[in-house]
Amino acid sequence: IQQAKNRFPSFTTNQTSLPLDMTLLLMKTVVRNGGEQELNEVIKIYETTSDADLKIQALKSIGFTSQPHQIQRALEYSLTNVRTQDFYVLISSCASMPHGLE
């Protein structure tokens, strides 16, 4: 967890600093074990990247929070900011968390 938190700041400024297969693990780890700042950074990655695979990974990570109010925020975000064809990615991510089904 600590290693992911250490690597995350450099990843947010240079998203090619890690292989694509490691970015999902990194983003999920920091969202699950972080707070609002980490969630905001992953949302920013989703909104600014042109890489379709990284966008999907960011959506999967946004719903992977351990905080119920952030799950609610992610669901609200999905209604207005996520393309229709990608909507299911964020919803299923939220539903995969125990408190995401409440």
Side-chain angles (χ1 to χ4, degrees), residues 26 30 102:
L26 176 73
V30 297
E102 297 174 1

Side-chain angles (χ1 to χ4, degrees), residues 43-67:
I43 289 171
K44 183 178 175 183
I45 290 169
Y46 171 75
E47 292 175 345
T48 59
T49 189
S50 59
D51 183 327
D53 291 328
L54 189 55
K55 277 188 176 290
I56 295 298
Q57 290 184 347
L59 284 178
K60 288 179 181 179
S61 303
I62 291 168
F64 205 72
T65 179
S66 60
Q67 300 175 24

Side-chain angles (χ1 to χ4, degrees), residues 32-49:
R32 176 147 183 140
N33 298 286
E36 292 292 325
Q37 180 179 354
E38 291 80 7
L39 180 61
N40 289 338
E41 287 293 328
V42 174
I43 289 171
K44 183 178 175 183
I45 290 169
Y46 171 75
E47 292 175 345
T48 59
T49 189

Side-chain angles (χ1 to χ4, degrees), residues 3-14:
Q3 188 174 23
K5 286 182 177 183
N6 292 340
R7 289 179 182 234
F8 189 64
S10 65
F11 173 72
T12 59
T13 58
N14 178 12

Side-chain angles (χ1 to χ4, degrees), residues 9-97:
S10 65
F11 173 72
T12 59
T13 58
N14 178 12
Q15 291 145 12
T16 60
S17 64
L18 284 175
L20 190 59
D21 61 344
M22 299 211 40
T23 60
L24 180 60
L25 176 62
L26 176 73
M27 289 189 290
K28 278 187 167 184
T29 301
V30 297
V31 168
R32 176 147 183 140
N33 298 286
E36 292 292 325
Q37 180 179 354
E38 291 80 7
L39 180 61
N40 289 338
E41 287 293 328
V42 174
I43 289 171
K44 183 178 175 183
I45 290 169
Y46 171 75
E47 292 175 345
T48 59
T49 189
S50 59
D51 183 327
D53 291 328
L54 189 55
K55 277 188 176 290
I56 295 298
Q57 290 184 347
L59 284 178
K60 288 179 181 179
S61 303
I62 291 168
F64 205 72
T65 179
S66 60
Q67 300 175 24
H69 72 279
Q70 288 182 341
I71 288 281
Q72 182 65 35
R73 180 176 169 210
L75 291 171
E76 290 169 3
Y77 181 81
S78 71
L79 295 174
T80 57
N81 297 293
V82 178
R83 297 181 316 170
T84 306
Q85 66 265 31
D86 297 335
F87 179 79
Y88 76 95
V89 174
L90 184 49
I91 298 301
S92 63
S93 176
C94 291
S96 71
M97 302 306 293

